[in-house]
Amino acid sequence: MTESRPARKQIHLAAHFPGVNSTTVWADPRSGSQIDFSSFEHLARTAERGLFDFFFLAEGLRLREHAGRVHDLDVVGRPESITVLNALAAVTDRLGLAATVNATFNEPYELARRLASLDHLSGGRAAWNVVTSSDAFTGENFRRGGFLDRADRYTRAAEALATVRELWDSWPAGGERRRFAHDGPQFRIEGEVTVERPPQGHPVVIQAGDSAEGREFAASAADVIFSRHSEPEAGRAFYADVKGRLARYGRRPEELKILPAVTYVLGDTEAEARERAALISRQQVSPQNAILTLEQVWGRDLSAYDPDGPFPEIDPDPDSTLVQGRVRVADPFAVAARWRALSEAKGLSIRETVIEATGRHSFVGTPASVAAALEEHVATEAADGFILVPHLTPGGLDDFVDRVVPLLQERGVFRTEYTGTTLRSHLGLPAPVWKAGTP
C-alpha cells in the first residue's frame, strides 16, 4: 500500500502591464507603444495563453513632475484603465481584468456602476485595485482638491469600498432591484443602481498598501494584496503578519491571496541569465535616471553630481517639493544613509549603487531554476503567487509563458486549463455573502 503524497500548493499568476515607469527598457528595439490597443491586447492574450489569473493595469491621475517639468517617463501618459479593460473583455475569454481606480477621487455610485459594467461585459472577470491618495498635487485635478489628510485616506477608502458593496447588493442577482441608502461620515447617498448585481456578486478587490493601516484594511476587506515583498524572508514576514490579522474579521487564510510584484530574466545558462540581468539593469538605470532617482530621495537638485562618482555629502530635504505626483520615501534620511553605506562598503558609484539598491529582477536564471524558485517561494509561504512585471511592452511575457509555465505545470503546481469562468473561481475565492439592500 503506497502513501498518498500531499498535494502541492498551487501558484497564482497575474500579469502587470509595465506602463510608463523605470521598469520598462525604452531603448530596446522591441519596446512598443504604451497607448496602442495592440500592445494591451498582445500582453493580455499572452497572459491568457499562459492560463494566468488576471491582467492588471495601474492608474495615473496626473503627469508626475520633476523640478517643475513633466517627468521623462510620463510624457506618453496613461489611458484610463476601465476603458482599456472593457475593450480587452471582447478579445479574451477567461482572463481576469483588474483596474486600478482611486478611492480618494472617485464616488461610490460611479465606481459601483463602472465596475459592475466591466464584470457583466466580461462574464464575471472584473477586479478593482483600491488605491488612495493624500497628494494635493494630484488633487488639483479634482473638485475636491488635495484637502484629504493622509490620516484620513484609509478611512475614506474603507467606507467607499463598503458603500460600493452595498450598491452591488442592492440589486440581487435574478431579483427585483431595491433602493439603496447610505448615511456615513464620508458619504450620504440614496437612490437606485442602474446596473444589475455583478455576475461575481462582488468583483474581486485588490489592495496594495503596506503601512499598518493598509495591512489592516486588506485583512478586513481585500481579496488580493498586491505586495512589494518579493524577497523570501521579507515575504514570509509580511505573509504571516497579514494572514494573522484575518481571524479577527472572521476570515480564513485562503480567503486572501498575497501576490508580490516580481520581475524575471531568463537565460539558457545561469551565467547568461545573470549577464542579461546586469545589462537590463544598466538600461533601466541610465546615468540620467540614476541622478533622478537620487533626487527623488534627497529632494534636491543633484544635476551637478557625476553619476559615476561618489554620493553627495549633503542630507536630504524632507520638505522638498522638487518631485510632484510621486510618493516620497517615508524616511529619506534612513534611505540616504543606507545607500551611502552600501556605496562605501562596496566602492560603488552613484549609478552602481542605485542599480544595486533598486534592483528589480526578482528571479534570474534558467527556466528550470526560475520555476523551482517560484515553487519554493509559494511552498514556504512567502507568497500565494506572483504578479509579473515584464521589462518590455508588449512582448515581455512571451518567454515566461513559453518556457517557464510548462515547467510549473510539469511540477504539478500550476493549472493546465481553466476550470472556471470567473476571476473568483481562478483565485479559489468564496462567493460574497449577499447583504440585502434597503427596501
Side-chain angles (χ1 to χ4, degrees), residues 189-257:
I189 57 176
E190 60 180 296
E192 292 182 347
V193 178
T194 61
V195 183
E196 289 188 24
R197 192 167 190 255
Q200 294 184 98
H202 300 167
V204 170
V205 170
I206 305 171
Q207 200 271 337
D210 189 47
S211 64
E213 299 96 327
R215 295 182 185 204
E216 202 66 26
F217 178 43
S220 67
D223 300 306
V224 174
I225 295 182
F226 181 32
S227 163
R228 64 181 179 85
H229 298 287
S230 59
E231 294 298 319
E233 185 175 349
R236 282 190 284 271
F238 180 79
Y239 191 99
D241 177 69
V242 177
K243 298 268 186 172
R245 298 170 186 251
L246 293 171
R248 58 176 165 264
Y249 298 103
R251 306 182 68 194
R252 301 186 304 275
E254 61 269 22
E255 293 180 31
L256 177 66
K257 308 301 181 185

Side-chain angles (χ1 to χ4, degrees), residues 178-192:
R178 298 168 179 260
R179 291 184 61 81
F180 69 83
H182 177 91
D183 188 354
Q186 299 289 327
F187 309 104
R188 185 177 183 180
I189 57 176
E190 60 180 296
E192 292 182 347

Side-chain angles (χ1 to χ4, degrees), residues 113-194:
R113 292 177 68 245
R114 292 163 63 200
L115 290 159
S117 296
L118 175 60
D119 209 45
H120 279 290
L121 291 173
S122 64
R125 296 185 280 136
W128 174 21
N129 179 39
V130 183
V131 297
T132 65
S133 176
S134 58
D135 179 15
F137 173 78
T138 301
E140 290 174 357
N141 276 349
F142 298 87
R143 174 178 56 82
R144 193 184 300 98
F147 86 94
L148 189 66
D149 290 335
R150 182 177 180 85
D152 294 333
R153 58 183 183 148
Y154 279 115
T155 300
R156 177 183 168 90
E159 189 175 335
L161 175 56
T163 307
V164 167
R165 283 174 164 159
E166 288 175 25
L167 302 185
W168 286 333
D169 283 345
S170 70
W171 193 336
E176 295 183 1
R177 62 181 176 176
R178 298 168 179 260
R179 291 184 61 81
F180 69 83
H182 177 91
D183 188 354
Q186 299 289 327
F187 309 104
R188 185 177 183 180
I189 57 176
E190 60 180 296
E192 292 182 347
V193 178
T194 61

Side-chain angles (χ1 to χ4, degrees), residues 75-97:
V75 293
V76 298
R78 294 185 182 184
E80 197 277 321
S81 56
I82 292 184
T83 302
V84 174
L85 296 179
N86 279 324
L88 289 176
V91 296
T92 56
D93 296 315
R94 299 292 185 92
L95 185 69
L97 304 168

